[in-house]
Amino acid sequence: MMRIFVLTGAGISAESGLGTFRGKPGDGLWAKFDPMKLATPEAFAADPGAVHAFYNARRNNLLTTKPNPAHVALARLETELAKRGDKLFLVTQNIDNLHERAGSRRVIHMHGELLKARCTQCQAVVSWHDDLETTSVCPRCEQISALRPHVVWFGEMPFEMDMISDALSISDLFVAIGTSGSVYPAAGFVAQARAAGIRTCEINLDASDNADLFDDQRYGPASEAVPVWVEEVLLSA
Ligand code: BJW
């Protein structure tokens, strides 16, 4: 059995119209907000309204976007690998749902999900498609003002780390797509893979911060480079 571990980042959703975190400053949402100043528990404690506004704008934007050929290709990879007894383990740092909407059935969201809210009082995680306000009420415990976006901010522990680590350790190939390699622990996966003797591949618009750690580097827009790579994998073996 061949096991492929894919890690995706903001670059895979860029061509769907979702902004990346780093790189050239964009316009629209990213001109109005500095994502790195808002993605912290301290920012939320100091000004929950500003953090809610940031995520409300991104949630509304997400609902107007659609998956691009890179998401579709990864969904096809999962299906085709399964047919031949192989396996794709897909981990995304993205909080959008474009992998799922493209047809991916198993996606680990290590930095959370934009369309969910979490109650800081009763810890319930609930589906949430509307704006979150400082006065929103938890549908489970009915506490007012206790809901926060179900996302992982700096200093917080990413989700499913044990499962991710186990899956990485038994993979045959590690592929990072559209991520700058600057946020840990995800940025450390390539070094972990190399230490375990696993082949590594990067697909990105430009070289990432840890490009030297990849055996294979493919540079181009994800919507083109990912489908090409997927076809190559499916033609091999
Ligand atoms: C294209 C393209 C196209 C463009 N086609 N490509 C060492 C070890 C462990 C931790 C640390 C460490 N050193 C420091 C830390 C702490 C910190 C950290 O990493 N800081 C760094 C800034 C140095 N990490 C954390 O705090 C993490 N937690 C943690 O470590 O917990 C430990 C703990 C222990 C015990 C108790 C408690 C905790 C948490 C990190 C959470 C990150 N959260 C965010 C926000 C999520 C919610 C939201 O979306 O708002 O996650 S920050 C942001 O960065 C977001 C992203 O998922 C993440 C990564 O960004 P990504 O995806 O790589 O995007 P970009 O924009 O950086 O790059 C885009 C790439 O796409 C570029 O390369 C482009 O070239 C490319 N691209 N267009 C292909 N068309």
Side-chain angles (χ1 to χ4, degrees):
M1 177 193 268
M2 178 167 72
R3 292 186 173 92
I4 302 179
F5 185 119
V6 169
L7 170 72
T8 63
I12 197 168
S13 297
E15 291 162 84
S16 291
L18 297 176
T20 61
F21 294 88
R22 296 162 192 88
K24 55 176 187 278
D27 48 15
L29 182 63
W30 309 105
K32 208 162 135 205
F33 298 105
D34 177 352
M36 302 334 296
K37 287 201 181 119
L38 290 163
T40 69
E42 292 76 19
F44 187 61
D47 191 349
V51 175
H52 281 318
F54 171 58
Y55 286 98
N56 289 343
R58 289 174 63 194
R59 194 177 300 105
N60 288 326
N61 187 37
L62 173 60
L63 298 172
T64 68
T65 62
K66 56 183 193 340
N68 68 56
H71 300 102
V72 173
L74 289 181
R76 169 166 147 74
L77 182 64
E78 180 185 33
T79 304
E80 295 300 322
L81 286 180
K83 278 186 198 163
R84 65 188 207 192
D86 295 329
K87 196 159 180 186
L88 175 69
F89 192 82
L90 177 58
V91 177
T92 188
Q93 298 167 84
N94 300 341
I95 62 173
D96 65 56
N97 63 351
L98 297 180
H99 284 304
E100 287 88 345
R101 280 161 58 197
S104 285
R105 275 170 294 182
R106 188 148 185 268
V107 186
I108 309 294
H109 284 271
M110 65 179 289
H111 290 165
E113 294 175 71
L114 188 52
L115 298 180
K116 290 183 180 166
R118 184 165 81 243
C119 179
T120 54
Q121 192 71 24
C122 73
Q123 307 308 323
V125 175
V126 294
S127 170
W128 201 278
H129 288 225
D130 301 324
D131 283 355
L132 261 177
E133 313 288 352
T134 51
T135 51
S136 295
V137 178
C138 173
R140 186 80 55 84
C141 71
E142 300 186 349
Q143 176 79 30
I144 301 166
S145 307
L147 289 177
R148 57 162 281 178
H150 183 52
V151 300
V152 178
W153 289 320
F154 285 110
E156 297 182 324
M157 184 62 88
F159 300 134
E160 308 290 4
M161 285 309 297
D162 288 345
M163 191 204 290
I164 291 171
S165 191
D166 289 349
L168 185 56
S169 69
I170 56 164
S171 296
D172 301 296
L173 174 63
F174 169 79
V175 185
I177 301 173
T179 177
S180 59
S182 57
V183 175
Y184 289 83
F189 292 172
V190 61
Q192 274 172 253
R194 275 183 88 87
I198 297 163
R199 210 152 50 86
T200 56
C201 170
E202 140 156 297
I203 304 177
N204 202 311
L205 204 50
D206 307 301
S208 68
D209 290 4
N210 44 22
D212 293 353
L213 296 176
F214 291 93
D215 301 314
D216 183 14
Q217 292 134 340
R218 293 158 175 251
Y219 298 124
S223 66
E224 294 169 20
V226 175
V228 168
W229 170 72
V230 165
E231 288 315 309
E232 281 176 29
V233 169
L234 294 177
L235 284 172
S236 70

